[in-house]
Amino acid sequence: MKKLLVAILLTPIISFSQNKVDLHYFKSKDSLVGVKDKAGKIIVPAQFKIFSFLKDGDPVEGETILFDGSKEGEEPEKNAWGYVYDKNGKFLYQPFLYDNGADYFSEGLRRLVKNGKVGFADRNGKIIIEAEHDFAFPFNYGYATFCDGCDWEKTNDEHRSIVGGKWGVMNVKGQTIQPLSKPTEKEVEIDGKYYPNPFQYNEKEKNILQFFEKQKKKLSDLHYVNFYSKLSEKEKNLFFEIVERPKENFPFYQVNAYDYRKKELDMLYSFKFLVSEDGKTFYAIGDFNEKKIPFENWLKEEIESAEDFQRKHKDNPNKFINK
């Protein structure tokens, strides 16, 4: 199923990156891109061909520097796209190629490529899982499937599949996890096999999740209001899990919502949330650059969008009732 309505949030947004370094991209006379600091010192020389709408002087967003393109005079590595540097100008890694660009972060980790193998890095550019596998899917509900001895199928189709090889499942430490012989409903189903629930919480984290549990029915009805197919209450159930904890440059918990099958919802940033390190302030992530919106403002906009949708589509099968 596909969510049909995209709400345009007009609420003022706030950047949550805490890094104080003021860097911006610049373009050379031959349109190659580099990075300078506020004083004009070159941090990374202009040597990248960027194919996005990047403008001279655009700020560097996030905790690292991403050059979303190719490097002058360097042959591209298979399955890689772009280059990531730290804010001192040190090269860190090449992201995995996904959707005609650099891979997205999923549960706080992004795929990278080194010597033809796939690993994972966090938002600070730290390599969390070394590049050891021929392919890996993004993390979902604490696990990522991977394969060795596999490759892209030989076809000219735009959307190709990975074929062959031996497949496995790893946790966020890169450890291979074996399926359970006697699963329960609390476990995680992946390709017909069941794996241990990967999430464990202390009391503070349980209290954070209670904030979302208390509003689960409302949040579920908001998410599914514009789905064409009639869903049961079980099918509309959402799970909320903490997928990232406070670290350097990121003083937040990130909470993601999952459907009843424990699959990530089909949007890159919608229904993903941030909670301050003290567990008292809640935000929704508002766009691809990970801006944060105060939760109550976000909720008000979502309710208004849902009610507007229902006025225009009175036969929608999954009703939202604001209680």
Side-chain angles (χ1 to χ4, degrees):
M1 290 175 289
K2 187 175 181 181
K3 189 141 183 174
L4 301 175
L5 178 67
V6 177
I8 299 177
L9 299 176
L10 301 178
T11 310
I13 53 181
I14 312 164
S15 171
F16 67 72
S17 177
Q18 300 298 304
N19 201 310
K20 303 298 183 182
V21 180
D22 185 5
L23 302 178
H24 63 270
Y25 294 98
F26 74 95
K27 289 187 176 182
S28 65
K29 293 180 180 179
D30 48 1
S31 296
L32 296 178
V33 175
V35 165
K36 294 180 179 180
D37 65 14
K38 189 175 183 180
K41 177 184 175 181
I42 293 177
I43 304 300
V44 182
Q47 54 189 323
F48 301 93
K49 295 180 180 179
I50 306 299
F51 304 101
S52 65
F53 296 104
L54 184 72
K55 299 188 296 295
D56 189 83
D58 279 353
V60 173
E61 303 283 358
E63 293 73 36
T64 58
I65 303 169
L66 170 63
F67 294 99
D68 194 12
S70 60
K71 190 174 183 179
E72 180 78 352
E74 185 170 301
E75 287 293 321
E77 182 162 359
K78 180 182 177 181
N79 296 329
W81 180 264
Y83 297 80
V84 173
Y85 288 71
D86 70 16
K87 291 196 171 182
N88 294 315
K90 178 185 176 182
F91 171 72
L92 299 176
Y93 65 87
Q94 284 193 267
F96 184 82
L97 170 64
Y98 178 74
D99 196 21
N100 296 317
D103 194 34
Y104 305 112
F105 282 97
S106 179
E107 301 188 356
L109 297 175
R110 168 197 268 159
R111 290 175 290 179
L112 63 93
V113 178
K114 183 178 181 180
N115 299 325
K117 301 293 185 178
V118 178
F120 290 83
D122 70 8
R123 66 175 61 247
N124 286 322
K126 181 181 178 181
I127 307 302
I128 302 301
I129 299 173
E130 293 293 336
E132 298 176 341
H133 300 292
D134 289 325
F135 177 78
F137 281 104
F139 273 89
N140 176 83
Y141 212 78
Y143 290 117
T145 55
F146 67 88
C147 64
D148 295 308
C150 54
D151 202 351
W152 295 101
E153 61 181 337
K154 308 301 182 183
T155 175
N156 292 323
D157 291 347
E158 180 181 358
H159 301 289
R160 299 180 296 162
S161 299
I162 291 288
V163 295
K166 182 179 179 181
W167 289 82
V169 172
M170 68 173 126
N171 62 16
V172 294
K173 296 180 180 180
Q175 300 166 328
T176 300
I177 305 299
Q178 300 302 322
L180 299 169
S181 57
K182 295 181 180 180
T184 70
E185 63 180 15
K186 295 182 180 180
E187 315 307 340
V188 185
E189 187 271 326
I190 303 173
D191 296 330
K193 298 178 181 180
Y194 289 83
Y195 296 83
N197 190 318
F199 297 109
Q200 295 182 347
Y201 303 114
N202 57 35
E203 287 304 312
K204 177 181 178 181
E205 293 168 342
K206 289 177 183 178
N207 289 334
I208 288 173
L209 292 176
Q210 272 299 112
F211 174 86
F212 297 98
E213 289 295 323
K214 290 177 181 178
Q215 305 185 73
K216 177 186 284 190
K217 173 69 167 123
K218 177 177 288 187
L219 294 173
S220 172
D221 288 349
L222 283 171
H223 175 67
Y224 290 112
V225 67
N226 46 23
F227 277 56
Y228 279 145
S229 301
K230 175 65 176 177
L231 302 175
S232 66
E233 288 304 309
K234 177 182 178 180
E235 291 173 318
K236 290 166 63 177
N237 187 38
L238 295 180
F239 292 91
F240 296 92
E241 306 290 355
I242 294 174
V243 299
E244 195 170 5
R245 290 173 169 84
K247 59 170 68 74
E248 181 183 3
N249 300 321
F250 185 72
F252 300 98
Y253 295 90
Q254 181 171 324
V255 178
N256 285 6
Y258 299 85
D259 68 17
Y260 76 102
R261 301 163 301 171
K262 298 180 179 176
K263 305 296 183 184
E264 189 173 24
L265 302 184
D266 61 354
M267 291 154 291
L268 291 173
Y269 58 84
S270 187
F271 280 75
K272 292 181 172 65
F273 307 93
L274 297 173
V275 183
S276 59
E277 194 166 3
D278 62 7
K280 296 180 180 180
T281 308
F282 294 77
Y283 303 94
I285 296 177
D287 67 7
F288 292 102
N289 289 322
E290 295 189 312
K291 306 295 183 179
K292 64 181 177 18
I293 303 169
F295 182 85
E296 292 303 322
N297 295 358
W298 171 84
L299 184 61
K300 180 181 177 181
E301 293 283 351
E302 287 288 317
I303 290 172
E304 290 175 355
S305 295
E307 291 175 339
D308 182 62
F309 178 83
Q310 289 189 148
R311 283 192 293 269
K312 296 175 180 177
H313 304 83
K314 298 185 182 300
D315 59 345
N316 71 306
N318 303 294
K319 300 296 183 184
F320 169 74
I321 300 175
N322 189 15
K323 294 182 180 180

